[in-house]
């Protein structure tokens, strides 16, 4: 698949200047990420998402605060032609329910805390084939059966 737009620019930078700082997270004590760090994370996301045989145009909800996981999951989906439905993590279950009804996603990516908060809504939609918790830090005992717990990208 030929890459265009921001994905092409990102990949060009990642290959041409892998050590250049691509992102600085002020809320993480000014932690920086290089283009290479983001590329590695994006490729890991693509590997995870490819297990679900996603096709171009399919939709996945991405409900996450601004974090490296959010960006690299978004880039991975965009590079695959998957549509990211970006949702504010402060949204209520009622609001999320309306968005799911309208958009008909097949996946949901968020933190385990937010997945637990909206579990009652997620269980109502069998067409959501997978749910991915980006942190994997909380116990998965109460999470839906279709969930995949995933560790954060190592530093």
């Amino acid at each position: 698949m030929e890459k265009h737009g921001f994905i092409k620019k990102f990949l060009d930078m990642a290959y041409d200047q892998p050590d250049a700082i691509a992102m600085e997270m002020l809320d993480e004590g000014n932690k920086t990420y290089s283009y290479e760090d983001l590329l590695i994370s994006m490729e890991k996301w693509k590997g995870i998402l490819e297990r679900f045989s996603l096709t171009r145009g399919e939709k996945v909800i991405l409900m996450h605060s601004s974090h490296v996981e959010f960006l690299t999951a978004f880039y991975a989906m965009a590079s695959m032609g998957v549509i990211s439905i970006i949702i504010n993590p402060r949204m209520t279950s009622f609001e999320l329910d309306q968005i799911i009804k309208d958009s008909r996603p097949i996946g949901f990516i968020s933190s385990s805390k937010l997945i637990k908060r909206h579990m009652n809504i997620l269980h109502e939609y069998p067409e959501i084939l997978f749910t991915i918790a980006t942190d994997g830090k909380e116990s998965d005992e109460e999470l839906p059966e279709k969930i995949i717990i995933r560790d954060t990208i190592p530093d």
Side-chain angles (χ1 to χ4, degrees), residues 91-125:
M91 187 167 282
T92 67
S93 288
F94 174 78
E95 294 166 319
L96 178 61
D97 184 42
Q98 298 306 308
I99 289 173
I100 292 173
K101 281 179 186 171
D102 290 342
S103 63
R104 298 187 311 258
I106 64 162
F108 187 87
I109 299 173
S110 191
S111 67
S112 54
K113 180 180 176 181
L114 289 171
I115 291 169
K116 286 178 184 179
R117 180 187 307 160
H118 299 293
M119 196 179 329
N120 59 325
I121 299 299
L122 296 173
H123 279 303
E124 292 180 21
Y125 294 94

PDB file of all heavy atoms in Angstrom, residues 91-125:
ATOM      1  N   MET A  91     -15.877  11.127  27.831  1.00  0.00           N
ATOM      2  CA  MET A  91     -17.227  10.894  27.330  1.00  0.00           C
ATOM      3  C   MET A  91     -17.982   9.927  28.236  1.00  0.00           C
ATOM      4  O   MET A  91     -17.402   8.998  28.789  1.00  0.00           O
ATOM      5  CB  MET A  91     -17.127  10.326  25.915  1.00  0.00           C
ATOM      6  CG  MET A  91     -18.434  10.196  25.204  1.00  0.00           C
ATOM      7  SD  MET A  91     -18.142   9.889  23.460  1.00  0.00           S
ATOM      8  CE  MET A  91     -17.725  11.529  22.914  1.00  0.00           C
ATOM      9  N   THR A  92     -19.271  10.139  28.367  1.00  0.00           N
ATOM     10  CA  THR A  92     -20.111   9.251  29.179  1.00  0.00           C
ATOM     11  C   THR A  92     -20.461   7.993  28.384  1.00  0.00           C
ATOM     12  O   THR A  92     -20.344   7.959  27.159  1.00  0.00           O
ATOM     13  CB  THR A  92     -21.415   9.950  29.588  1.00  0.00           C
ATOM     14  OG1 THR A  92     -22.200  10.172  28.408  1.00  0.00           O
ATOM     15  CG2 THR A  92     -21.147  11.266  30.305  1.00  0.00           C
ATOM     16  N   SER A  93     -20.926   6.974  29.092  1.00  0.00           N
ATOM     17  CA  SER A  93     -21.358   5.743  28.422  1.00  0.00           C
ATOM     18  C   SER A  93     -22.537   6.021  27.491  1.00  0.00           C
ATOM     19  O   SER A  93     -22.635   5.421  26.412  1.00  0.00           O
ATOM     20  CB  SER A  93     -21.739   4.682  29.452  1.00  0.00           C
ATOM     21  OG  SER A  93     -20.590   4.188  30.085  1.00  0.00           O
ATOM     22  N   PHE A  94     -23.425   6.914  27.885  1.00  0.00           N
ATOM     23  CA  PHE A  94     -24.554   7.274  27.030  1.00  0.00           C
ATOM     24  C   PHE A  94     -24.057   7.857  25.707  1.00  0.00           C
ATOM     25  O   PHE A  94     -24.530   7.478  24.628  1.00  0.00           O
ATOM     26  CB  PHE A  94     -25.467   8.279  27.738  1.00  0.00           C
ATOM     27  CG  PHE A  94     -26.571   8.799  26.862  1.00  0.00           C
ATOM     28  CD1 PHE A  94     -27.705   8.028  26.616  1.00  0.00           C
ATOM     29  CD2 PHE A  94     -26.466  10.042  26.256  1.00  0.00           C
ATOM     30  CE1 PHE A  94     -28.720   8.498  25.781  1.00  0.00           C
ATOM     31  CE2 PHE A  94     -27.466  10.521  25.426  1.00  0.00           C
ATOM     32  CZ  PHE A  94     -28.601   9.748  25.188  1.00  0.00           C
ATOM     33  N   GLU A  95     -23.089   8.766  25.781  1.00  0.00           N
ATOM     34  CA  GLU A  95     -22.541   9.378  24.561  1.00  0.00           C
ATOM     35  C   GLU A  95     -21.805   8.337  23.717  1.00  0.00           C
ATOM     36  O   GLU A  95     -21.946   8.309  22.495  1.00  0.00           O
ATOM     37  CB  GLU A  95     -21.596  10.524  24.933  1.00  0.00           C
ATOM     38  CG  GLU A  95     -22.300  11.687  25.594  1.00  0.00           C
ATOM     39  CD  GLU A  95     -21.339  12.657  26.264  1.00  0.00           C
ATOM     40  OE1 GLU A  95     -20.368  12.214  26.899  1.00  0.00           O
ATOM     41  OE2 GLU A  95     -21.590  13.872  26.150  1.00  0.00           O
ATOM     42  N   LEU A  96     -21.038   7.471  24.371  1.00  0.00           N
ATOM     43  CA  LEU A  96     -20.316   6.422  23.655  1.00  0.00           C
ATOM     44  C   LEU A  96     -21.290   5.493  22.944  1.00  0.00           C
ATOM     45  O   LEU A  96     -21.065   5.100  21.792  1.00  0.00           O
ATOM     46  CB  LEU A  96     -19.434   5.632  24.620  1.00  0.00           C
ATOM     47  CG  LEU A  96     -18.657   4.464  24.016  1.00  0.00           C
ATOM     48  CD1 LEU A  96     -17.702   4.938  22.936  1.00  0.00           C
ATOM     49  CD2 LEU A  96     -17.917   3.713  25.114  1.00  0.00           C
ATOM     50  N   ASP A  97     -22.375   5.152  23.591  1.00  0.00           N
ATOM     51  CA  ASP A  97     -23.388   4.290  23.002  1.00  0.00           C
ATOM     52  C   ASP A  97     -23.900   4.881  21.685  1.00  0.00           C
ATOM     53  O   ASP A  97     -24.036   4.163  20.688  1.00  0.00           O
ATOM     54  CB  ASP A  97     -24.539   4.100  23.990  1.00  0.00           C
ATOM     55  CG  ASP A  97     -25.590   3.131  23.503  1.00  0.00           C
ATOM     56  OD1 ASP A  97     -25.236   2.081  22.939  1.00  0.00           O
ATOM     57  OD2 ASP A  97     -26.789   3.425  23.694  1.00  0.00           O
ATOM     58  N   GLN A  98     -24.157   6.165  21.673  1.00  0.00           N
ATOM     59  CA  GLN A  98     -24.653   6.824  20.459  1.00  0.00           C
ATOM     60  C   GLN A  98     -23.616   6.761  19.334  1.00  0.00           C
ATOM     61  O   GLN A  98     -23.960   6.523  18.176  1.00  0.00           O
ATOM     62  CB  GLN A  98     -25.028   8.277  20.750  1.00  0.00           C
ATOM     63  CG  GLN A  98     -26.134   8.448  21.763  1.00  0.00           C
ATOM     64  CD  GLN A  98     -27.389   7.660  21.409  1.00  0.00           C
ATOM     65  OE1 GLN A  98     -27.901   7.769  20.309  1.00  0.00           O
ATOM     66  NE2 GLN A  98     -27.863   6.851  22.332  1.00  0.00           N
ATOM     67  N   ILE A  99     -22.366   6.960  19.675  1.00  0.00           N
ATOM     68  CA  ILE A  99     -21.301   6.929  18.662  1.00  0.00           C
ATOM     69  C   ILE A  99     -21.137   5.513  18.104  1.00  0.00           C
ATOM     70  O   ILE A  99     -20.974   5.328  16.896  1.00  0.00           O
ATOM     71  CB  ILE A  99     -19.985   7.479  19.239  1.00  0.00           C
ATOM     72  CG1 ILE A  99     -20.141   8.989  19.435  1.00  0.00           C
ATOM     73  CG2 ILE A  99     -18.800   7.157  18.341  1.00  0.00           C
ATOM     74  CD1 ILE A  99     -19.013   9.650  20.151  1.00  0.00           C
ATOM     75  N   ILE A 100     -21.198   4.519  18.962  1.00  0.00           N
ATOM     76  CA  ILE A 100     -21.086   3.133  18.490  1.00  0.00           C
ATOM     77  C   ILE A 100     -22.253   2.803  17.557  1.00  0.00           C
ATOM     78  O   ILE A 100     -22.056   2.184  16.508  1.00  0.00           O
ATOM     79  CB  ILE A 100     -21.008   2.143  19.675  1.00  0.00           C
ATOM     80  CG1 ILE A 100     -19.689   2.327  20.425  1.00  0.00           C
ATOM     81  CG2 ILE A 100     -21.159   0.703  19.192  1.00  0.00           C
ATOM     82  CD1 ILE A 100     -19.579   1.529  21.711  1.00  0.00           C
ATOM     83  N   LYS A 101     -23.458   3.226  17.923  1.00  0.00           N
ATOM     84  CA  LYS A 101     -24.622   2.974  17.060  1.00  0.00           C
ATOM     85  C   LYS A 101     -24.436   3.605  15.688  1.00  0.00           C
ATOM     86  O   LYS A 101     -24.770   3.000  14.667  1.00  0.00           O
ATOM     87  CB  LYS A 101     -25.893   3.544  17.699  1.00  0.00           C
ATOM     88  CG  LYS A 101     -26.466   2.700  18.786  1.00  0.00           C
ATOM     89  CD  LYS A 101     -27.711   3.361  19.379  1.00  0.00           C
ATOM     90  CE  LYS A 101     -28.188   2.573  20.575  1.00  0.00           C
ATOM     91  NZ  LYS A 101     -29.249   3.275  21.311  1.00  0.00           N
ATOM     92  N   ASP A 102     -23.925   4.823  15.653  1.00  0.00           N
ATOM     93  CA  ASP A 102     -23.765   5.545  14.390  1.00  0.00           C
ATOM     94  C   ASP A 102     -22.594   5.052  13.553  1.00  0.00           C
ATOM     95  O   ASP A 102     -22.675   5.006  12.329  1.00  0.00           O
ATOM     96  CB  ASP A 102     -23.596   7.047  14.649  1.00  0.00           C
ATOM     97  CG  ASP A 102     -24.861   7.708  15.143  1.00  0.00           C
ATOM     98  OD1 ASP A 102     -25.953   7.135  14.972  1.00  0.00           O
ATOM     99  OD2 ASP A 102     -24.757   8.814  15.710  1.00  0.00           O
ATOM    100  N   SER A 103     -21.492   4.701  14.202  1.00  0.00           N
ATOM    101  CA  SER A 103     -20.267   4.386  13.447  1.00  0.00           C
ATOM    102  C   SER A 103     -20.055   2.900  13.194  1.00  0.00           C
ATOM    103  O   SER A 103     -19.317   2.538  12.286  1.00  0.00           O
ATOM    104  CB  SER A 103     -19.054   4.957  14.180  1.00  0.00           C
ATOM    105  OG  SER A 103     -18.913   4.353  15.451  1.00  0.00           O
ATOM    106  N   ARG A 104     -20.626   2.045  14.014  1.00  0.00           N
ATOM    107  CA  ARG A 104     -20.501   0.592  13.885  1.00  0.00           C
ATOM    108  C   ARG A 104     -19.032   0.128  13.783  1.00  0.00           C
ATOM    109  O   ARG A 104     -18.631  -0.499  12.798  1.00  0.00           O
ATOM    110  CB  ARG A 104     -21.324   0.087  12.711  1.00  0.00           C
ATOM    111  CG  ARG A 104     -22.804   0.366  12.887  1.00  0.00           C
ATOM    112  CD  ARG A 104     -23.652  -0.284  11.821  1.00  0.00           C
ATOM    113  NE  ARG A 104     -23.189  -0.063  10.471  1.00  0.00           N
ATOM    114  CZ  ARG A 104     -23.712   0.816   9.626  1.00  0.00           C
ATOM    115  NH1 ARG A 104     -24.727   1.545   9.975  1.00  0.00           N
ATOM    116  NH2 ARG A 104     -23.236   0.944   8.398  1.00  0.00           N
ATOM    117  N   PRO A 105     -18.236   0.403  14.821  1.00  0.00           N
ATOM    118  CA  PRO A 105     -16.838  -0.047  14.799  1.00  0.00           C
ATOM    119  C   PRO A 105     -16.732  -1.546  15.047  1.00  0.00           C
ATOM    120  O   PRO A 105     -17.660  -2.163  15.575  1.00  0.00           O
ATOM    121  CB  PRO A 105     -16.220   0.731  15.965  1.00  0.00           C
ATOM    122  CG  PRO A 105     -17.355   0.851  16.936  1.00  0.00           C
ATOM    123  CD  PRO A 105     -18.583   1.066  16.070  1.00  0.00           C
ATOM    124  N   ILE A 106     -15.590  -2.104  14.682  1.00  0.00           N
ATOM    125  CA  ILE A 106     -15.362  -3.525  14.965  1.00  0.00           C
ATOM    126  C   ILE A 106     -14.341  -3.722  16.081  1.00  0.00           C
ATOM    127  O   ILE A 106     -14.097  -4.842  16.495  1.00  0.00           O
ATOM    128  CB  ILE A 106     -14.927  -4.298  13.706  1.00  0.00           C
ATOM    129  CG1 ILE A 106     -13.582  -3.802  13.209  1.00  0.00           C
ATOM    130  CG2 ILE A 106     -15.976  -4.223  12.629  1.00  0.00           C
ATOM    131  CD1 ILE A 106     -12.925  -4.775  12.269  1.00  0.00           C
ATOM    132  N   GLY A 107     -13.748  -2.623  16.574  1.00  0.00           N
ATOM    133  CA  GLY A 107     -12.770  -2.728  17.646  1.00  0.00           C
ATOM    134  C   GLY A 107     -12.802  -1.525  18.553  1.00  0.00           C
ATOM    135  O   GLY A 107     -13.342  -0.469  18.194  1.00  0.00           O
ATOM    136  N   PHE A 108     -12.219  -1.672  19.734  1.00  0.00           N
ATOM    137  CA  PHE A 108     -12.189  -0.621  20.741  1.00  0.00           C
ATOM    138  C   PHE A 108     -10.830  -0.655  21.418  1.00  0.00           C
ATOM    139  O   PHE A 108     -10.436  -1.690  21.973  1.00  0.00           O
ATOM    140  CB  PHE A 108     -13.307  -0.856  21.757  1.00  0.00           C
ATOM    141  CG  PHE A 108     -13.499   0.231  22.768  1.00  0.00           C
ATOM    142  CD1 PHE A 108     -14.315   1.312  22.489  1.00  0.00           C
ATOM    143  CD2 PHE A 108     -12.878   0.174  24.007  1.00  0.00           C
ATOM    144  CE1 PHE A 108     -14.517   2.316  23.422  1.00  0.00           C
ATOM    145  CE2 PHE A 108     -13.063   1.169  24.950  1.00  0.00           C
ATOM    146  CZ  PHE A 108     -13.890   2.244  24.653  1.00  0.00           C
ATOM    147  N   ILE A 109     -10.097   0.455  21.378  1.00  0.00           N
ATOM    148  CA  ILE A 109      -8.784   0.558  22.008  1.00  0.00           C
ATOM    149  C   ILE A 109      -8.849   1.654  23.055  1.00  0.00           C
ATOM    150  O   ILE A 109      -9.250   2.780  22.764  1.00  0.00           O
ATOM    151  CB  ILE A 109      -7.687   0.883  20.970  1.00  0.00           C
ATOM    152  CG1 ILE A 109      -7.599  -0.224  19.921  1.00  0.00           C
ATOM    153  CG2 ILE A 109      -6.336   1.100  21.668  1.00  0.00           C
ATOM    154  CD1 ILE A 109      -6.668   0.092  18.761  1.00  0.00           C
ATOM    155  N   SER A 110      -8.437   1.318  24.281  1.00  0.00           N
ATOM    156  CA  SER A 110      -8.489   2.284  25.373  1.00  0.00           C
ATOM    157  C   SER A 110      -7.651   1.758  26.532  1.00  0.00           C
ATOM    158  O   SER A 110      -6.992   0.725  26.416  1.00  0.00           O
ATOM    159  CB  SER A 110      -9.941   2.500  25.808  1.00  0.00           C
ATOM    160  OG  SER A 110     -10.034   3.600  26.682  1.00  0.00           O
ATOM    161  N   SER A 111      -7.721   2.440  27.662  1.00  0.00           N
ATOM    162  CA  SER A 111      -7.070   1.943  28.875  1.00  0.00           C
ATOM    163  C   SER A 111      -8.009   0.945  29.541  1.00  0.00           C
ATOM    164  O   SER A 111      -9.223   0.966  29.313  1.00  0.00           O
ATOM    165  CB  SER A 111      -6.776   3.103  29.831  1.00  0.00           C
ATOM    166  OG  SER A 111      -7.992   3.646  30.318  1.00  0.00           O
ATOM    167  N   SER A 112      -7.470   0.075  30.382  1.00  0.00           N
ATOM    168  CA  SER A 112      -8.319  -0.890  31.070  1.00  0.00           C
ATOM    169  C   SER A 112      -9.317  -0.175  31.977  1.00  0.00           C
ATOM    170  O   SER A 112     -10.458  -0.625  32.122  1.00  0.00           O
ATOM    171  CB  SER A 112      -7.484  -1.910  31.847  1.00  0.00           C
ATOM    172  OG  SER A 112      -6.590  -1.271  32.715  1.00  0.00           O
ATOM    173  N   LYS A 113      -8.926   0.954  32.540  1.00  0.00           N
ATOM    174  CA  LYS A 113      -9.837   1.722  33.395  1.00  0.00           C
ATOM    175  C   LYS A 113     -11.058   2.193  32.606  1.00  0.00           C
ATOM    176  O   LYS A 113     -12.202   2.064  33.059  1.00  0.00           O
ATOM    177  CB  LYS A 113      -9.090   2.923  33.987  1.00  0.00           C
ATOM    178  CG  LYS A 113      -9.924   3.793  34.880  1.00  0.00           C
ATOM    179  CD  LYS A 113      -9.096   4.947  35.416  1.00  0.00           C
ATOM    180  CE  LYS A 113      -9.946   5.894  36.252  1.00  0.00           C
ATOM    181  NZ  LYS A 113      -9.153   7.025  36.747  1.00  0.00           N
ATOM    182  N   LEU A 114     -10.837   2.727  31.401  1.00  0.00           N
ATOM    183  CA  LEU A 114     -11.957   3.196  30.587  1.00  0.00           C
ATOM    184  C   LEU A 114     -12.778   2.037  30.039  1.00  0.00           C
ATOM    185  O   LEU A 114     -14.001   2.141  29.915  1.00  0.00           O
ATOM    186  CB  LEU A 114     -11.453   4.090  29.450  1.00  0.00           C
ATOM    187  CG  LEU A 114     -10.940   5.460  29.887  1.00  0.00           C
ATOM    188  CD1 LEU A 114     -10.268   6.173  28.721  1.00  0.00           C
ATOM    189  CD2 LEU A 114     -12.059   6.308  30.466  1.00  0.00           C
ATOM    190  N   ILE A 115     -12.138   0.937  29.723  1.00  0.00           N
ATOM    191  CA  ILE A 115     -12.879  -0.235  29.258  1.00  0.00           C
ATOM    192  C   ILE A 115     -13.820  -0.712  30.363  1.00  0.00           C
ATOM    193  O   ILE A 115     -14.987  -0.995  30.109  1.00  0.00           O
ATOM    194  CB  ILE A 115     -11.926  -1.357  28.802  1.00  0.00           C
ATOM    195  CG1 ILE A 115     -11.214  -0.928  27.509  1.00  0.00           C
ATOM    196  CG2 ILE A 115     -12.682  -2.666  28.594  1.00  0.00           C
ATOM    197  CD1 ILE A 115     -10.063  -1.823  27.106  1.00  0.00           C
ATOM    198  N   LYS A 116     -13.327  -0.765  31.595  1.00  0.00           N
ATOM    199  CA  LYS A 116     -14.176  -1.169  32.713  1.00  0.00           C
ATOM    200  C   LYS A 116     -15.336  -0.197  32.889  1.00  0.00           C
ATOM    201  O   LYS A 116     -16.465  -0.617  33.148  1.00  0.00           O
ATOM    202  CB  LYS A 116     -13.356  -1.264  33.994  1.00  0.00           C
ATOM    203  CG  LYS A 116     -12.457  -2.468  34.040  1.00  0.00           C
ATOM    204  CD  LYS A 116     -11.640  -2.480  35.313  1.00  0.00           C
ATOM    205  CE  LYS A 116     -10.669  -3.632  35.323  1.00  0.00           C
ATOM    206  NZ  LYS A 116      -9.858  -3.652  36.544  1.00  0.00           N
ATOM    207  N   ARG A 117     -15.064   1.097  32.748  1.00  0.00           N
ATOM    208  CA  ARG A 117     -16.108   2.105  32.915  1.00  0.00           C
ATOM    209  C   ARG A 117     -17.233   1.918  31.901  1.00  0.00           C
ATOM    210  O   ARG A 117     -18.392   2.130  32.205  1.00  0.00           O
ATOM    211  CB  ARG A 117     -15.530   3.510  32.775  1.00  0.00           C
ATOM    212  CG  ARG A 117     -16.602   4.585  32.954  1.00  0.00           C
ATOM    213  CD  ARG A 117     -16.129   5.984  32.656  1.00  0.00           C
ATOM    214  NE  ARG A 117     -14.938   6.330  33.399  1.00  0.00           N
ATOM    215  CZ  ARG A 117     -14.118   7.317  33.039  1.00  0.00           C
ATOM    216  NH1 ARG A 117     -14.371   8.036  31.957  1.00  0.00           N
ATOM    217  NH2 ARG A 117     -13.048   7.589  33.749  1.00  0.00           N
ATOM    218  N   HIS A 118     -16.882   1.515  30.681  1.00  0.00           N
ATOM    219  CA  HIS A 118     -17.873   1.415  29.599  1.00  0.00           C
ATOM    220  C   HIS A 118     -18.230  -0.033  29.249  1.00  0.00           C
ATOM    221  O   HIS A 118     -18.851  -0.286  28.221  1.00  0.00           O
ATOM    222  CB  HIS A 118     -17.350   2.141  28.357  1.00  0.00           C
ATOM    223  CG  HIS A 118     -17.112   3.596  28.596  1.00  0.00           C
ATOM    224  ND1 HIS A 118     -18.128   4.476  28.848  1.00  0.00           N
ATOM    225  CD2 HIS A 118     -15.965   4.318  28.625  1.00  0.00           C
ATOM    226  CE1 HIS A 118     -17.626   5.697  29.019  1.00  0.00           C
ATOM    227  NE2 HIS A 118     -16.322   5.622  28.901  1.00  0.00           N
ATOM    228  N   MET A 119     -17.869  -0.960  30.100  1.00  0.00           N
ATOM    229  CA  MET A 119     -18.097  -2.372  29.805  1.00  0.00           C
ATOM    230  C   MET A 119     -19.568  -2.685  29.535  1.00  0.00           C
ATOM    231  O   MET A 119     -19.885  -3.493  28.665  1.00  0.00           O
ATOM    232  CB  MET A 119     -17.589  -3.235  30.957  1.00  0.00           C
ATOM    233  CG  MET A 119     -17.441  -4.676  30.577  1.00  0.00           C
ATOM    234  SD  MET A 119     -16.817  -5.757  31.895  1.00  0.00           S
ATOM    235  CE  MET A 119     -15.758  -4.751  32.866  1.00  0.00           C
ATOM    236  N   ASN A 120     -20.463  -2.021  30.266  1.00  0.00           N
ATOM    237  CA  ASN A 120     -21.888  -2.291  30.060  1.00  0.00           C
ATOM    238  C   ASN A 120     -22.311  -1.975  28.626  1.00  0.00           C
ATOM    239  O   ASN A 120     -23.130  -2.689  28.043  1.00  0.00           O
ATOM    240  CB  ASN A 120     -22.736  -1.501  31.056  1.00  0.00           C
ATOM    241  CG  ASN A 120     -22.522   0.002  30.948  1.00  0.00           C
ATOM    242  OD1 ASN A 120     -21.410   0.457  30.677  1.00  0.00           O
ATOM    243  ND2 ASN A 120     -23.556   0.776  31.181  1.00  0.00           N
ATOM    244  N   ILE A 121     -21.749  -0.952  28.034  1.00  0.00           N
ATOM    245  CA  ILE A 121     -22.062  -0.585  26.649  1.00  0.00           C
ATOM    246  C   ILE A 121     -21.364  -1.532  25.683  1.00  0.00           C
ATOM    247  O   ILE A 121     -21.966  -2.011  24.718  1.00  0.00           O
ATOM    248  CB  ILE A 121     -21.649   0.876  26.357  1.00  0.00           C
ATOM    249  CG1 ILE A 121     -22.407   1.842  27.255  1.00  0.00           C
ATOM    250  CG2 ILE A 121     -21.814   1.214  24.888  1.00  0.00           C
ATOM    251  CD1 ILE A 121     -23.906   1.807  27.095  1.00  0.00           C
ATOM    252  N   LEU A 122     -20.105  -1.836  25.930  1.00  0.00           N
ATOM    253  CA  LEU A 122     -19.341  -2.703  25.026  1.00  0.00           C
ATOM    254  C   LEU A 122     -19.966  -4.088  24.898  1.00  0.00           C
ATOM    255  O   LEU A 122     -19.953  -4.682  23.818  1.00  0.00           O
ATOM    256  CB  LEU A 122     -17.888  -2.803  25.489  1.00  0.00           C
ATOM    257  CG  LEU A 122     -17.104  -1.491  25.460  1.00  0.00           C
ATOM    258  CD1 LEU A 122     -15.731  -1.674  26.099  1.00  0.00           C
ATOM    259  CD2 LEU A 122     -16.986  -0.954  24.053  1.00  0.00           C
ATOM    260  N   HIS A 123     -20.538  -4.594  25.987  1.00  0.00           N
ATOM    261  CA  HIS A 123     -21.184  -5.917  25.946  1.00  0.00           C
ATOM    262  C   HIS A 123     -22.430  -5.930  25.069  1.00  0.00           C
ATOM    263  O   HIS A 123     -22.851  -6.990  24.616  1.00  0.00           O
ATOM    264  CB  HIS A 123     -21.561  -6.376  27.359  1.00  0.00           C
ATOM    265  CG  HIS A 123     -20.437  -6.972  28.127  1.00  0.00           C
ATOM    266  ND1 HIS A 123     -19.715  -8.054  27.684  1.00  0.00           N
ATOM    267  CD2 HIS A 123     -19.895  -6.639  29.315  1.00  0.00           C
ATOM    268  CE1 HIS A 123     -18.794  -8.363  28.562  1.00  0.00           C
ATOM    269  NE2 HIS A 123     -18.872  -7.518  29.564  1.00  0.00           N
ATOM    270  N   GLU A 124     -23.006  -4.782  24.817  1.00  0.00           N
ATOM    271  CA  GLU A 124     -24.229  -4.710  24.011  1.00  0.00           C
ATOM    272  C   GLU A 124     -23.970  -4.811  22.506  1.00  0.00           C
ATOM    273  O   GLU A 124     -24.914  -4.889  21.731  1.00  0.00           O
ATOM    274  CB  GLU A 124     -24.979  -3.403  24.306  1.00  0.00           C
ATOM    275  CG  GLU A 124     -25.553  -3.347  25.703  1.00  0.00           C
ATOM    276  CD  GLU A 124     -26.285  -2.052  25.975  1.00  0.00           C
ATOM    277  OE1 GLU A 124     -26.704  -1.369  25.011  1.00  0.00           O
ATOM    278  OE2 GLU A 124     -26.432  -1.717  27.160  1.00  0.00           O
ATOM    279  N   TYR A 125     -22.707  -4.798  22.097  1.00  0.00           N
ATOM    280  CA  TYR A 125     -22.377  -4.770  20.674  1.00  0.00           C
ATOM    281  C   TYR A 125     -21.488  -5.950  20.298  1.00  0.00           C
ATOM    282  O   TYR A 125     -20.267  -5.855  20.333  1.00  0.00           O
ATOM    283  CB  TYR A 125     -21.696  -3.445  20.318  1.00  0.00           C
ATOM    284  CG  TYR A 125     -22.620  -2.271  20.466  1.00  0.00           C
ATOM    285  CD1 TYR A 125     -22.660  -1.535  21.636  1.00  0.00           C
ATOM    286  CD2 TYR A 125     -23.498  -1.933  19.434  1.00  0.00           C
ATOM    287  CE1 TYR A 125     -23.534  -0.469  21.778  1.00  0.00           C
ATOM    288  CE2 TYR A 125     -24.375  -0.873  19.569  1.00  0.00           C
ATOM    289  CZ  TYR A 125     -24.384  -0.143  20.744  1.00  0.00           C
ATOM    290  OH  TYR A 125     -25.258   0.904  20.881  1.00  0.00           O
TER     291      TYR A 125
END
